[in-house]
């Protein structure tokens, strides 16, 4: 199946620094990537939708200047948490989707979201 | 706006026993419904989905879920669980096809004991 990776899997940083999280689709081209945030024992909350080559669309209440998203290619999206603070500590998960399924040479239409394993961010 | 409620945060069950993970949703429009599973240290994987047609949908590993419009529910069931089913299960809804935004429930941790 389609594989999405995230790097790093966990990161600890000091308050005030910036952290970049990468999300890669390993065997397919992702026209759209989503970034989620998950607090302990809570739902995944969508932060933003990222389309390749265009600006990300942020959900209400998400600071776009704080959470910078770049989707420069069809296989890579990055989330940069700028000037991180302890309240930004969370589990960040990305997903990727494509309008055309090209896995294993099979042609078809698939819009399924494929999820990465997540990145645990701790800000001290 | 849509919302999803998973009524149980944890469900412990013995191996080979039946299990039901509950999911209720609210929406003013028609929705598509999904169950995702997350095994330890892995990403979410689609378990099954309801888009239209038969209200009973099944997965390849024995889970099934039934869409009940009148009760706005999409409960997940399995008649006999295995140790390997231990994972966290998320119910989700979207207004459109997979590519549209998903709204997730808080998740239910299924712990299968021997």
């Amino acid at each position: 199946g389609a594989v999405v990776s995230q790097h790093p899997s966990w990161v600890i940083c000091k308050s005030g620094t910036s952290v970049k999280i990468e999300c890669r689709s390993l065997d397919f081209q992702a026209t759209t990537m989503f970034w989620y945030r998950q607090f302990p024992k809570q739902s995944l909350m969508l932060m933003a939708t990222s389309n390749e080559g265009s600006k990300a669309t942020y959900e209400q209440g998400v600071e776009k200047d704080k959470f910078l998203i770049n989707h420069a290619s069809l296989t890579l999206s990055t989330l940069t948490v700028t000037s991180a603070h302890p309240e930004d500590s969370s589990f960040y998960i990305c997903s990727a989707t494509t309008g055309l399924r090209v896995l294993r040479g099979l042609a078809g239409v698939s819009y399924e979201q494929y999820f990465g394993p997540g990145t645990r961010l701790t800000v001290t | 706006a849509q919302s999803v409620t998973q009524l149980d945060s944890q469900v412990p069950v013995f191996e080979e026993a039946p299990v039901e993970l509950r999911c209720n949703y609210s929406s003013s429009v028609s929705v598509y419904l999904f169950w995702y599973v997350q095994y330890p240290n892995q990403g979410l994987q689609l378990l099954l989905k309801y888009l239209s047609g038969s209200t009973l949908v099944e997965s390849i590993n024995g889970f099934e879920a039934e869409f009940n419009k009148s009760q706005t529910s999409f409960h997940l069931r399995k008649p006999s669980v295995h140790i390997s089913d231990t994972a966290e299960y998320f119910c989700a809804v979207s207004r459109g096809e997979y590519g549209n935004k998903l709204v997730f429930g808080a998740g239910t941790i299924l712990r299968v004991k021997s």
Side-chain angles (χ1 to χ4, degrees):
Chain A
V3 179
V4 175
S5 69
Q6 282 185 240
H7 178 79
S9 55
W10 60 270
V11 58
I12 301 173
C13 71
K14 292 185 177 181
S15 186
T17 62
S18 296
V19 174
K20 180 184 286 187
I21 302 170
E22 293 185 347
C23 176
R24 293 182 184 273
S25 56
L26 300 184
D27 52 3
F28 67 101
Q29 293 182 325
T31 54
T32 304
M33 288 184 170
F34 300 88
W35 285 96
Y36 297 85
R37 182 175 180 176
Q38 185 180 27
F39 290 105
K41 299 183 180 180
Q42 294 188 30
S43 299
L44 280 75
M45 300 296 295
L46 180 66
M47 299 175 66
T49 302
S50 167
N51 291 297
E52 185 266 338
S54 62
K55 290 184 177 180
T57 302
Y58 290 81
E59 294 299 299
Q60 190 173 9
V62 178
E63 301 175 58
K64 57 184 177 183
D65 293 332
K66 182 169 186 61
F67 298 99
L68 300 178
I69 292 173
N70 183 280
H71 193 162
S73 77
L74 285 172
T75 60
L76 174 64
S77 176
T78 60
L79 167 68
T80 301
V81 183
T82 62
S83 186
H85 292 283
E87 57 265 29
D88 298 324
S89 298
S90 190
F91 195 52
Y92 293 87
I93 301 171
C94 73
S95 72
T97 187
T98 175
L100 181 63
R101 181 167 59 195
V102 293
L103 303 175
R104 304 192 189 102
L106 297 175
V109 177
S110 172
Y111 294 91
E112 180 174 343
Q113 288 192 34
Y114 302 97
F115 286 82
T119 297
R120 174 77 58 192
L121 170 63
T122 301
V123 184
T124 60
Chain B
Q2 296 82 40
S3 67
V4 179
T5 302
Q6 290 184 245
L7 298 168
D8 305 296
S9 59
Q10 293 197 40
V11 174
V13 63
F14 284 103
E15 194 173 19
E16 297 184 6
V19 70
E20 177 179 82
L21 306 184
R22 295 178 292 173
C23 172
N24 288 87
Y25 69 93
S26 66
S27 176
S28 58
V29 299
S30 296
V31 295
Y32 298 99
L33 296 154
F34 306 83
W35 275 100
Y36 285 84
V37 58
Q38 186 174 31
Y39 298 103
N41 302 315
Q42 295 185 29
L44 274 73
Q45 301 171 32
L46 180 63
L47 186 61
L48 47 75
K49 62 186 183 291
Y50 170 77
L51 303 180
S52 64
S54 173
T55 57
L56 184 65
V57 291
E58 299 177 350
S59 72
I60 59 173
N61 57 352
F63 283 94
E64 64 178 30
E66 186 162 18
F67 169 55
N68 188 318
K69 187 174 182 179
S70 63
Q71 296 186 8
T72 60
S73 68
F74 191 55
H75 301 330
L76 182 68
R77 302 184 183 96
K78 188 170 185 178
S80 176
V81 294
H82 302 287
I83 294 287
S84 59
D85 293 324
T86 295
E88 188 160 17
Y89 293 80
F90 293 90
C91 183
V93 302
S94 80
R95 286 185 59 179
E97 289 282 0
Y98 299 125
N100 281 11
K101 293 185 278 189
L102 290 169
V103 176
F104 284 89
T108 297
I109 297 174
L110 175 63
R111 298 189 191 279
V112 182
K113 301 177 289 184
S114 58

